[in-house]
């Protein structure tokens, strides 16, 4: 019976084993460049170990199904063949036929080739692609196991093979990532991020664009952002390079990834010190509409850090951001307004600069063209921050902003309601604005917020009311509200944690002259709460408690 002829991959493996042994046996006989050959000998030991693993895969029929392993073995076979010839030349005691310099260069080249092949072998073996594993885990849905195996395959192909092969693998990987968020989580768990970051170096612009798109896709999954952050300055520097010189699409994706990285002070400082703000502003000025929105989002994050604000001033950022807030896409305008809001926070100089550059008019136009949803939150925050500087606050009052706040106090978005209450407080420095806001219904809306579920909402409402109730007509409106006094007294309860008690105390202090209000306060338990707050040395508690006590005594003496 005729024996089956060996498979091509088996022949290749046999040739590689034979050449490795031959080269290893020839090395003790070399006369030239013994030091360099001793280094190659160490590499051969490592390669021989890898070849044993390849042989095990061949015996289980995994090798023939893997084109990458065939490619690696072919490269190794060619390198070893050259090595045997070169070792033969160096074993001759006669002068080297090609001269010392040429021969030395050939040995260095061989050593480098063996290094690359060694690395490829390690990647291939570490990937598990040569291990037969036809059993799908019963603890996971079969589909996920298939995705896991496909991701391992693609990550290996990204690190081994020709540029064309890597490009094809990147296309497949992008398709997999864009298919499902769960695929992204699986890919991250399989170690996609470090591979992508390392691949950003020395690749074609087309390949780099795809890699950045994959990194941006990972950044959209909240639970995966920490893996990007862990890559640190290496990833930051690569992304900054892309926003400086990449295509419009690559810049957009790089900015999307930078948004996930720009929340930490350390990364923000790194972006600012590497000229990132200048590049981001350039995109805001003349980038594609989508890239403008993403760049403004990064700048919005960076502007939160005090030490970075100087970079914005140096780059003349204010006019660029104001222009974008007037003419960009919806998201670009929102991010530009949000960036301005973060910049002017606690900085009177920047508030004046924004107002001088047309920021108030820009804010007004954005506000009037934006629906009552989360998109208005940065605008309300900008209003609040600008209004805290009273000369600009007077301009905002003249422009009619107090009357624009009522719809937001009644809207369905918690963060917008809280921001609007903060703006009411800041604009309440002016008696005219207090009266306007009271007459249009802000007092009633704020009383409703006193019963909100979120502590932040209740505190913001009490703080705003503490200013509005300085106006006599607003106190009358408040007293007519059934839940006004009771809702405020309940905020005094020490068991209500993380709420600044100064604000409900200030609200009740404005009503202490009213006998009816005092009775409501006592009935709602204000004295008990205030006594505990006095023991905790809360500002204003002792004075309010004493006022309530005097009120009770006056009531006794007034009886016939």
């Amino acid at each position: 019976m005729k024996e089956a002829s060996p498979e091509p991959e088996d022949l290749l493996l046999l040739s590689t084993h034979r050449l490795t042994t031959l080269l290893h046996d020839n090395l003790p006989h070399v006369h030239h460049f013994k030091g360099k050959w001793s280094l190659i000998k160490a590499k051969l030991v490592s390669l021989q170990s890898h070849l044993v693993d390849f042989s095990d895969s061949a015996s289980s029929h995994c090798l023939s199904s893997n084109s990458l392993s065939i490619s690696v073995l072919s490269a190794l076979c060619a390198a070893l063949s050259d090595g045997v010839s070169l070792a033969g030349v160096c074993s001759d005691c006669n002068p080297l036929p090609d001269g010392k310099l040429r021969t030395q260069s050939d040995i260095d080249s061989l050593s480098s080739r063996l290094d690359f092949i060694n690395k490829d072998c390690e990647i291939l073996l570490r990937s598990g692609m040569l291990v037969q594993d036809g059993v799908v885990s019963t603890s996971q849905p079969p589909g996920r196991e298939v995705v896991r195996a496909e991701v391992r395959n693609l990550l290996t192909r990204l690190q081994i093979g020709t540029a064309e092969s890597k490009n094809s693998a990147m296309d497949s990987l992008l398709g997999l990532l864009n298919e499902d968020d769960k695929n992204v989580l699986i890919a991250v768990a399989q170690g996609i991020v470090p591979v992508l970051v390392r691949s950003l170096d020395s690749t074609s612009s087309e390949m780099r664009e795809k890699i950045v798109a994959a990194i941006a896709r990972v950044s959209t999954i909240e639970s995966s952002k920490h893996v990007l952050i862990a890559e640190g300055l290496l990833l930051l520097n690569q992304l900054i390079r892309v926003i400086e010189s990449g295509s419009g699409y690559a810049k957009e994706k790089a900015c999307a990834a930078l948004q996930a990285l720009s929340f930490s002070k350390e990364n923000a400082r790194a972006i600012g010190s590497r000229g990132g703000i200048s590049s981001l502003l350039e995109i805001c000025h003349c980038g594609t509409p989508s890239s403008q929105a993403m760049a403004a989002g990064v700048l919005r994050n960076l502007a939160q850090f005090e030490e970075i604000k100087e970079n914005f001033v140096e780059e003349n950022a204010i006019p660029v951001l104001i222009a974008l807030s007037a003419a960009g896409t919806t998201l670009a305008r929102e991010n530009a307004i949000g960036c301005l809001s973060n910049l002017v926070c606690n900085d009177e100089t920047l508030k004046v600069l924004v107002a001088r550059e047309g920021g108030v008019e820009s804010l007004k136009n954005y506000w009037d063209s934006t629906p009552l949803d989360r998109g208005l939150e940065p605008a309300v925050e900008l209003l609040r921050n600008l209004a805290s500087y009273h000369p600009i606050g007077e301009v905002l009052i003249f422009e009619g902003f107090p009357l624009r706040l009522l719809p937001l106090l009644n809207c369905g978005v918690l963060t917008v309601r809280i921001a609007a209450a903060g703006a009411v407080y800041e604009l309440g420095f002016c008696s005219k604005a207090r009266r306007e806001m009271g007459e249009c219904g802000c007092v009633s809306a704020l009383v409703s917020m006193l019963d909100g579920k979120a502590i932040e909402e209740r505190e913001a409402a009490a703080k705003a009311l503490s200013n509005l109730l300085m106006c006599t007509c607003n106190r009358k409106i408040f007293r007519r509200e059934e839940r006004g006094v009771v809702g405020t007294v309940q905020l005094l309860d020490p068991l209500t944690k993380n709420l600044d008690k100064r604000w409900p105390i200030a609200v009740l202090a404005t009503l202490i002259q009213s006998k009816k209000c005092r009775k409501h306060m006592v009935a709602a338990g204000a004295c008990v709460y205030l006594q505990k707050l006095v023991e905790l040395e809360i500002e204003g508690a002792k004075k309010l408690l004493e006022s309530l006590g005097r009120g009770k005594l006056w009531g006794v003496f007034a009886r016939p």
Side-chain angles (χ1 to χ4, degrees):
M1 184 174 178
K2 188 178 180 181
E3 292 186 4
S5 58
E7 296 289 336
E9 57 274 6
D10 293 328
L11 291 173
L12 183 60
L13 192 55
L14 286 170
S15 296
T16 308
H17 272 295
R18 182 179 59 80
L19 288 168
T20 305
T21 303
L22 182 59
L23 178 56
H24 187 274
D25 292 345
N26 284 349
L27 292 184
H29 306 295
V30 298
H31 291 283
H32 303 282
F33 304 109
K34 290 184 178 181
K36 291 185 179 294
W37 283 111
S38 66
L39 293 176
I40 288 177
K41 182 178 180 179
K43 302 178 199 294
L44 288 178
V45 172
S46 179
L47 284 167
Q48 284 174 322
S49 173
H50 293 326
L51 286 175
V52 172
D53 294 324
F54 275 89
S55 297
D56 292 341
S57 300
S59 64
S60 62
H61 307 293
C62 294
L63 191 63
S64 60
S65 62
N66 193 294
S67 60
L68 285 176
S69 61
I70 304 299
S71 173
V72 170
L73 286 175
S74 296
L76 178 55
C77 196
L80 291 171
S81 180
D82 291 343
V84 169
S85 299
L86 195 55
V89 171
C90 290
S91 298
D92 194 336
C93 295
N94 296 320
L96 296 167
D98 292 328
K100 282 192 174 184
L101 289 178
R102 174 63 185 272
T103 305
Q104 181 178 338
S105 176
D106 289 343
I107 296 173
D108 289 340
S109 176
L110 173 65
S111 183
S112 179
R113 287 166 68 188
L114 292 177
D115 278 336
F116 279 114
I117 294 168
N118 224 331
K119 178 186 172 187
D120 286 351
C121 288
E122 289 173 0
I123 292 170
L124 199 54
L125 293 166
R126 192 169 59 243
S127 72
M129 290 174 62
L130 299 183
V131 179
Q132 188 176 21
D133 185 11
V135 180
V136 176
S137 171
T138 56
S139 63
Q140 295 287 344
R144 293 195 190 179
E145 199 59 45
V146 171
V147 172
R148 202 171 278 113
E150 178 63 12
V151 168
R152 284 198 296 268
N153 174 37
L154 292 172
L155 289 184
T156 306
R157 287 172 55 196
L158 276 176
Q159 300 172 81
I160 301 173
T162 64
E164 184 179 356
S165 170
K166 291 179 180 179
N167 199 40
S168 174
M170 195 66 235
D171 286 334
S172 300
L173 183 60
L174 272 175
L176 201 66
L177 295 177
N178 290 324
E179 190 178 292
D180 193 323
D181 284 358
K182 291 178 181 176
N183 290 356
V184 178
L185 294 173
I186 291 171
V188 169
Q190 293 298 314
I192 181 181
V193 171
V195 173
L196 290 174
V197 173
R198 289 196 300 270
S199 301
L200 275 170
D201 251 343
S202 65
T203 57
S204 68
S205 58
E206 179 187 6
M207 186 68 169
R208 193 178 303 116
E209 187 174 283
K210 292 174 182 177
I211 293 170
V212 171
I215 291 172
R217 177 71 178 103
V218 172
S219 75
T220 64
I221 308 299
E222 189 63 36
S223 59
S224 298
K225 289 181 179 179
H226 71 282
V227 184
L228 293 175
I229 293 171
E231 291 298 317
L233 293 179
L234 177 61
L235 177 55
L236 272 182
N237 289 336
Q238 294 283 10
L239 292 175
I240 291 172
R241 205 168 292 146
V242 172
I243 65 172
E244 288 173 348
S245 58
S247 66
Y249 176 79
K251 288 178 179 180
E252 176 189 339
K253 295 304 179 183
C255 288
L258 281 171
Q259 280 197 69
L261 300 172
S262 53
F263 284 101
S264 78
K265 183 180 291 187
E266 181 183 353
N267 284 351
R269 191 183 295 117
I271 294 170
S273 65
R274 285 163 173 76
I277 290 177
S278 175
S279 299
L280 290 164
L281 287 170
E282 180 65 23
I283 295 172
C284 287
H285 178 61
C286 58
T288 64
S290 296
S291 64
Q292 285 180 325
M294 294 296 108
V298 181
L299 291 170
R300 182 178 180 177
N301 292 343
L302 298 177
Q304 297 177 84
F305 303 103
E306 289 296 326
E307 56 264 55
I308 309 297
K309 291 183 180 181
E310 186 61 35
N311 296 87
F312 281 85
V313 175
E314 291 173 358
E315 299 296 340
N316 199 27
I318 301 297
V320 176
L321 292 167
I322 289 177
L324 185 59
S325 72
T329 64
T330 300
L331 181 58
R333 297 177 70 201
E334 178 183 335
N335 282 334
I337 289 289
C339 183
L340 289 169
S341 176
N342 289 337
L343 280 176
V344 303
C345 185
N346 302 319
D347 193 316
E348 289 186 358
T349 302
L350 286 177
K351 289 174 187 178
V352 172
L353 182 57
V354 167
R356 186 184 300 144
E357 293 289 340
V360 172
E361 186 65 27
S362 180
L363 173 62
K364 184 177 177 181
N365 293 336
Y366 175 82
W367 192 302
D368 293 342
S369 62
T370 302
L372 294 180
D373 60 11
R374 196 175 301 277
L376 263 183
E377 183 180 344
V380 185
E381 289 289 356
L382 178 56
L383 171 65
R384 180 176 65 83
N385 288 330
L386 289 174
S388 64
Y389 183 56
H390 293 176
I392 298 177
E394 291 173 358
V395 176
L396 294 166
I397 293 168
F398 178 79
E399 292 292 342
F401 278 99
L403 299 179
R404 287 178 165 85
L405 290 170
L406 177 62
L408 303 187
L409 294 172
N410 291 316
C411 79
V413 183
L414 173 64
T415 53
V416 174
R417 292 199 302 273
I418 293 172
V424 169
Y425 173 80
E426 295 297 352
L427 289 172
F429 75 90
C430 170
S431 58
K432 176 179 180 294
R434 287 197 292 264
R435 187 169 59 254
E436 285 183 355
M437 290 186 284
E439 290 173 353
C440 78
C442 286
V443 172
S444 299
L446 289 167
V447 170
S448 297
M449 289 175 63
L450 291 174
D451 290 324
K453 291 182 179 180
I455 292 293
E456 296 84 358
E457 179 175 15
R458 284 182 269 170
E459 180 179 309
K463 185 176 181 180
L465 285 167
S466 70
N467 247 355
L468 290 190
L469 296 193
M470 293 173 67
C471 175
T472 303
C473 56
N474 288 344
R475 291 198 290 272
K476 291 179 181 178
I477 297 171
F478 183 87
R479 288 197 295 267
R480 291 198 296 267
E481 293 291 328
E482 186 177 345
R483 288 286 301 167
V485 172
V486 175
T488 307
V489 169
Q490 288 175 346
L491 300 184
L492 298 175
D493 187 350
L495 295 178
T496 304
K497 303 293 184 182
N498 302 319
L499 190 147
D500 192 336
K501 306 299 183 184
R502 292 178 303 159
W503 305 120
I505 289 172
V507 170
L508 297 174
T510 63
L511 305 168
I512 200 68
Q513 299 302 322
S514 167
K515 179 180 178 181
K516 184 178 179 181
C517 287
R518 288 199 303 272
K519 290 174 66 176
H520 284 165
M521 290 180 208
V522 173
C527 294
V528 176
Y529 293 149
L530 286 169
Q531 184 59 54
K532 293 178 180 178
L533 295 181
V534 169
E535 294 171 5
L536 294 171
E537 299 183 348
I538 301 300
E539 181 183 334
K542 183 177 181 181
K543 184 176 181 181
L544 181 58
L545 181 60
E546 291 173 347
S547 297
L548 285 175
R550 284 198 300 273
K552 284 197 286 186
L553 287 175
W554 292 335
V556 170
F557 292 139
R559 288 173 186 170

